[in-house]
Amino acid sequence: MKPFNLQHIEDLEFYTNEDIDYKTLDTKEISINMSNELKLSNSIADMFMTIEYKYKETNALLLKQKVKFTFRGDFTDCQNNEKDKHNEEWKNNLKELSLELMIVTLGTIRGMIYVKVRNNPILSQQLIPVIPKEYLQIGINDSVDKSTK
């Protein structure tokens, strides 16, 4: 993989539900949902990451954090080459790059959320878990394969 660097972090949205008495919540009923989108050019990769904490019992949104991460590098080998449509190497490169970007963005957004909720006795204990690379790769593979058909 060619080297890349994190050039910019943009905090697009942050929300916590102030209408909830967090001390009354059962922490086992809090779910953490993640979604992301990757926009790629030859030299820029923008990863948009959204994290939502929801209370399962009522489906109430407790927290939402959306961040744009901008990476700079040479990403030409992660894009479909129209000359050779049957070459799958670019897909494998895209999957590898996506995993590396996901690891960086998850760790960063975990810290961003913690700093913002550290004074909330419940949300500060609901950290985004460390997700094994193998599980992230499964999701990435599925996503890349579906989006490139």
Side-chain angles (χ1 to χ4, degrees), residues 26-34 51-57 59-63 123 126 129:
D26 178 0
T27 57
K28 293 177 185 158
E29 292 297 314
I30 297 175
S31 67
I32 300 174
N33 303 306
M34 171 184 70
I51 302 290
E52 293 182 338
Y53 290 34
K54 289 190 174 182
Y55 196 60
K56 294 177 194 174
E57 192 173 290
N59 204 34
L61 181 63
L62 305 177
L63 175 147
L123 293 180
Q126 302 298 312

Side-chain angles (χ1 to χ4, degrees), residues 77-92:
D77 61 349
C78 298
Q79 297 181 54
N80 189 359
N81 182 347
E82 292 297 323
K83 295 176 190 172
D84 187 6
K85 290 187 177 187
H86 301 292
N87 182 354
E88 296 288 311
E89 186 176 342
W90 71 272
K91 275 189 190 181
N92 293 330

Side-chain angles (χ1 to χ4, degrees), residues 13 29 31 68-69 71 75 84 88 93-94 106 112 121:
E13 180 181 356
E29 292 297 314
S31 67
K68 175 185 174 186
F69 299 88
F71 298 87
F75 305 118
D84 187 6
E88 296 288 311
N93 293 337
L94 179 58
L106 268 174
M112 291 174 73

Side-chain angles (χ1 to χ4, degrees), residues 106-145:
L106 268 174
T108 304
I109 204 167
R110 180 184 298 115
M112 291 174 73
I113 291 172
Y114 178 76
V115 166
K116 293 174 181 176
V117 301
R118 67 181 174 263
N119 294 323
N120 181 307
I122 301 300
L123 293 180
S124 64
Q125 301 304 310
Q126 302 298 312
L127 300 178
I128 300 169
V130 175
I131 304 169
K133 287 167 70 167
E134 297 79 19
Y135 292 124
L136 290 173
Q137 192 68 68
I138 291 168
I140 289 167
N141 291 351
D142 289 345
S143 178
V144 169
D145 290 341

Side-chain angles (χ1 to χ4, degrees), residues 4-105:
F4 62 87
N5 62 56
L6 178 59
Q7 182 175 1
H8 184 72
I9 301 172
E10 185 177 352
D11 197 340
L12 299 175
E13 180 181 356
F14 181 74
Y15 165 83
T16 54
N17 192 332
E18 300 301 325
D19 297 329
I20 292 182
D21 180 5
Y22 286 92
K23 294 176 185 170
T24 65
L25 299 182
D26 178 0
T27 57
K28 293 177 185 158
E29 292 297 314
I30 297 175
S31 67
I32 300 174
N33 303 306
M34 171 184 70
S35 63
N36 68 306
E37 178 184 3
L38 178 62
K39 294 186 177 181
L40 197 61
S41 72
N42 287 342
S43 62
I44 303 243
D46 287 326
M47 174 76 82
F48 296 84
M49 174 79 65
T50 303
I51 302 290
E52 293 182 338
Y53 290 34
K54 289 190 174 182
Y55 196 60
K56 294 177 194 174
E57 192 173 290
T58 61
N59 204 34
L61 181 63
L62 305 177
L63 175 147
K64 182 175 182 180
Q65 173 74 70
K66 185 172 183 178
V67 180
K68 175 185 174 186
F69 299 88
T70 301
F71 298 87
R72 191 170 283 286
D74 179 359
F75 305 118
T76 53
D77 61 349
C78 298
Q79 297 181 54
N80 189 359
N81 182 347
E82 292 297 323
K83 295 176 190 172
D84 187 6
K85 290 187 177 187
H86 301 292
N87 182 354
E88 296 288 311
E89 186 176 342
W90 71 272
K91 275 189 190 181
N92 293 330
N93 293 337
L94 179 58
K95 290 173 184 178
E96 185 180 347
L97 173 67
S98 296
L99 178 61
E100 295 302 318
L101 297 181
M102 185 74 71
I103 290 168
V104 171
T105 57

